[in-house]
Amino acid sequence: MSTAKCSNFIAVSLYPLVFLSIVCNIVLFFPAGETRYVKEGLITVEVKYMGGVLGGGIAVFIAALFIHLTGPNGCCGNRFGMFMSVAFAGLGLAGGIYSFIVAAVGVYNGPLCQQANGEWTSPFTQSEGQYLRDHSVWDTCVKPRGIVQFNLGLFITLMVISGLQCLLCASQVINGLIGCVCGAGTEKKPIA
C-alpha cells in the first residue's frame, strides 16, 4: 500500500471518531437529558474543558482534512504534502492527548452532583478513584439521577475514542515521514 493510500485510510477512519467525540462531549452537558443543569452551571468542570470538542473534535478534524489531501486523489500527495501531514498529524495527536487527559481526569474525579443533604459537590474527588470499585457509594449522588453511570460511560467512551485518534495520528506521523523520504506513491509512471 502506498503512503498516499495509507493517508486516505487514516483520514477516513478519523472522521467518524471526530463526530463521536463531539457528540459525547455535547451529551455530557445534559445529564439526565435536562438543560437546567447546564443553565445553572451544575456541570462537572471537566465537561467545561470540552476535550471532546476542542481536542478530539476540532484539532483532529483539521488534521484529518489535511491528511485526506495527501491521499491518492488529493492535491498534496507529494513529498512536501507528506511532510506537512506530519505536522498536522502532530496537531491531531496533541488534540487526542488533550481529550484523553480531560476524560481521564473526569473519570478520576467523578461527577458534580447533589447529595441527600441538598449540597452540590464532587463527592468522589478525594477518593482517588476508589469510587470506581465501590458501587455502593454511587448512591450519595441523588441528582441528576444516574449521573455517575452517565459520566463514566461518556468519559470512558471519550478515552477510547481519543486513544484510537492518537494511534491513527501517530501512524500518520510514521506514514508521512516514509512518504516524505520515499515519495507518496501517487506519481504517474510514464507509458513505455
Side-chain angles (χ1 to χ4, degrees), residues 160-173:
V160 170
I161 290 168
S162 59
L164 291 171
Q165 289 173 331
C166 287
L167 285 173
L168 288 167
C169 287
S171 64
Q172 178 58 30
V173 168

Side-chain angles (χ1 to χ4, degrees), residues 42 123 191:
L42 301 173
I191 300 173

Side-chain angles (χ1 to χ4, degrees), residues 96-159:
I97 291 170
Y98 174 70
S99 180
F100 186 88
I101 289 171
V102 169
V105 171
V107 168
Y108 185 79
N109 288 338
L112 174 69
C113 62
Q114 185 179 32
Q115 295 180 303
N117 62 6
E119 183 182 359
W120 283 88
T121 63
S122 296
F124 310 121
T125 303
Q126 302 301 323
S127 76
E128 297 180 355
Q130 295 299 321
Y131 81 99
L132 295 169
R133 292 188 200 118
D134 187 5
H135 297 233
S136 64
V137 298
W138 292 6
D139 294 336
T140 59
C141 287
V142 179
K143 287 184 182 176
R145 202 180 85 199
I147 187 65
V148 177
Q149 298 90 326
F150 178 81
N151 270 23
L152 283 177
L154 289 169
F155 276 133
I156 289 172
T157 302
L158 278 172
M159 288 173 67

